[in-house]
């Protein structure tokens, strides 16, 4: 397996580091436009290999896509992160991933793409439309991170290990568009709603929705450890053909009542990319929230038309 991570900044380098440590590829290319940065980070990572005991070969590349040739999976994290007060949507013009996808496809026509750059739902839609690739090969990562944050806050409220919890966040990857599905959250099979007061559970959901903004306020830039790890786990399910169910941003064609949009829903992830959408039976209130979220994502996607990107 060969994996490329585009963007050697906080999220890209962290994601690459987890990929290397988990030996998800024999070769891993880290590419960035900043001269020398990806080479330096790749070399630094390689110098942890004897300490941590992995043998993934990590290679840096300053914008030379020929080094990415033959990649099976490509993770795109290039662009700028948000600063305090910015929404993910403010990044739309700067982070357009079209050029990156085109450059990758020249050398890796069979690659499966994992899109992390924000605004992620719109960037995923752009990657799909601009590339014309089969929809299963374009996967946006947001819901895995948001679900991890959801389970983190839930574990604090219940007082249990987050790993004993089931919990999922669907919808757009925005502070107001994501939908933590509190009704489906369970602790060892027991509904979280039977354990926590409605008020506490609602606060868990609200904290989840602003989870990214909370960290941006603390760090002055967006977070990277959990986003990088979430991206790497998604890659792991592809390269190991694990068939894990993760909430990911994928193209809908009538599922969950929506079409012509990329948005977060639970999907089976395996060697072909996303292989199947898992349809939860949403109640009226949840479906209404999902529809509203889709409207917001769709109106963001319109900017791509205005910018003549699709
Ligand atoms: N989807 C998610 O869950 C999630 C979570 C966190 C961050 N993000 C997003 O990920 C992106 C990266 O965040 P970060 O914190 O790593 O930012 P960062 O500034 O640390 O790194 C971004 C890197 O991309 C590089 N870059 C810019 N344009 C490029 C291009 N055309 N080709 C190659 N490299 C290029 C920059 O030189 C920089 O090194 C941002 O858009 C951020 O909003 C998404």
């Amino acid at each position: 397996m060969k994996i490329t991570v585009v963007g050697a900044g906080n999220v890209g380098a962290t994601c690459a580091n987890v990929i290397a440590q988990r030996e998800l590829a024999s070769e891993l290319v880290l590419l960035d436009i900043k001269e020398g940065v990806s080479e330096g980070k790749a070399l630094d990572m390689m110098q942890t290999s004897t300490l941590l005991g992995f043998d993934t070969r990590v290679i840096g590349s300053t914008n030379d896509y020929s080094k990415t040739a033959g990649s099976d999976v490509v993770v795109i994290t290039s662009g700028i992160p948000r600063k305090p007060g910015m929404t993910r949507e403010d990044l739309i013009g700067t982070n357009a991933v079209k050029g990156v996808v085109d450059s990758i496809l020249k050398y890796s026509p069979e690659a499966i793409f994992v899109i992390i750059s924000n605004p992620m739902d719109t960037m995923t839609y752009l990657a799909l439309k601009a590339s014309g690739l089969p929809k299963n090969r374009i996967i946006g990562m947001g819901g895995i991170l948001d679900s991890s944050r959801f389970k983190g806050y839930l574990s604090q409220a219940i007082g249990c290990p987050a790993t004993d919890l089931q919990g999922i966040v669907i919808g757009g990857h925005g502070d107001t568009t994501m939908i933590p599905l509190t009704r489906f959250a369970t602790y060892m099979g027991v509904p979280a709603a039977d354990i926590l007061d409605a008020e506490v559970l609602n606060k868990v959901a609200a904290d989840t929705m602003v989870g990214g903004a909370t960290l941006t306020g603390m760090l002055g830039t967006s977070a990277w450890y959990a986003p990088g790890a979430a991206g790497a786990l998604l890659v792991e399910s592809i390269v190991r053909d694990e068939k894990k169910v993760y909430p990911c941003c994928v193209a809908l064609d009538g599922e969950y009542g929506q079409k012509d949009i990329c948005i977060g829903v639970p999907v089976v992830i395996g060697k072909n990319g996303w292989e199947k959408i898992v349809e939860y039976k949403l109640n009226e209130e949840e479906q209404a929230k999902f529809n509203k979220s889709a409207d917001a994502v769709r109106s963001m996607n319109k900017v791509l038309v205005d910018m003549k990107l699709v």
Side-chain angles (χ1 to χ4, degrees), residues 25 62-63 66 69 72-73 78-79 93 101 104 107 119 127 129 138 146 162 170 201 203 206 211 215 235 273 305 308:
T62 303
N63 223 22
S66 67
D72 299 286
V73 183
S78 49
V101 173
I104 287 288
Y107 295 97
K129 290 285 163 186
I138 307 277
D146 300 330
I170 63 168
L201 196 50
K203 183 169 178 340
L215 283 157
V235 171
V305 179
K308 298 191 178 13

Side-chain angles (χ1 to χ4, degrees), residues 9-11 32-33 77-81 95 116 118 141 145 173:
N10 287 335
V11 175
D32 202 285
I33 44 169
T77 74
S78 49
I80 57 163
N95 287 358
I116 298 190
N118 275 318
M141 196 298 292
L145 170 67
H173 175 61

Side-chain angles (χ1 to χ4, degrees), residues 36-235:
V37 168
S38 55
E39 287 85 350
K41 291 197 179 180
L43 182 60
D44 192 13
M45 261 175 233
M46 279 310 290
Q47 290 171 354
T48 69
S49 68
T50 54
L51 303 169
L52 301 173
F54 65 82
D55 70 359
T56 295
R57 192 163 149 251
V58 192
I59 298 161
S61 167
T62 303
N63 223 22
D64 176 1
Y65 279 84
S66 67
K67 292 193 177 150
T68 69
S71 293
D72 299 286
V73 183
V74 176
V75 183
I76 302 184
T77 74
S78 49
I80 57 163
R82 53 183 176 155
K83 302 275 177 273
M86 282 172 92
T87 65
R88 294 174 177 93
E89 290 73 19
D90 291 334
L91 309 173
I92 197 163
T94 325
N95 287 358
V97 300
K98 188 175 183 303
V100 173
V101 173
D102 290 346
S103 305
I104 287 288
L105 283 173
K106 257 173 83 180
Y107 295 97
S108 304
E110 303 301 325
I112 293 172
F113 287 86
V114 171
I115 313 292
I116 298 190
S117 306
N118 275 318
M120 185 276 294
D121 303 290
T122 296
M123 291 300 122
T124 305
Y125 183 78
L126 172 60
L128 179 73
K129 290 285 163 186
S131 68
L133 288 177
K135 59 186 179 181
N136 63 296
R137 283 170 53 193
I138 307 277
I139 311 166
M141 196 298 292
I144 304 179
L145 170 67
D146 300 330
S147 301
S148 172
R149 288 177 174 154
F150 181 35
K151 284 183 273 188
Y153 286 120
L154 207 49
S155 74
Q156 286 169 8
I158 295 178
C160 70
T163 45
D164 282 353
L165 294 168
Q166 290 279 328
I168 192 164
V169 177
I170 63 168
H173 175 61
D175 298 353
T176 55
T177 58
M178 72 179 76
I179 307 157
L181 287 177
T182 49
R183 190 169 64 90
F184 290 86
T186 58
Y187 169 45
M188 304 304 285
V190 181
D194 291 353
I195 301 168
L196 298 172
D197 292 342
E199 200 182 312
V200 177
L201 196 50
N202 287 341
K203 183 169 178 340
V204 165
D207 287 346
T208 302
M209 292 175 76
V210 294
T214 302
L215 283 157
T216 302
M218 289 169 173
L219 297 166
T221 184
S222 69
W224 55 89
Y225 292 116
L233 278 211
L234 176 48
V235 171

Side-chain angles (χ1 to χ4, degrees), residues 15 21 50 93 99 106 140 143 151 170 172 192 218 245 248-249 281 289 294 309:
C15 183
Q21 288 185 17
T50 54
K106 257 173 83 180
K151 284 183 273 188
I170 63 168
M218 289 169 173
V245 175
C248 294
C249 176
K281 281 201 170 76
K289 281 187 187 171
L309 286 166

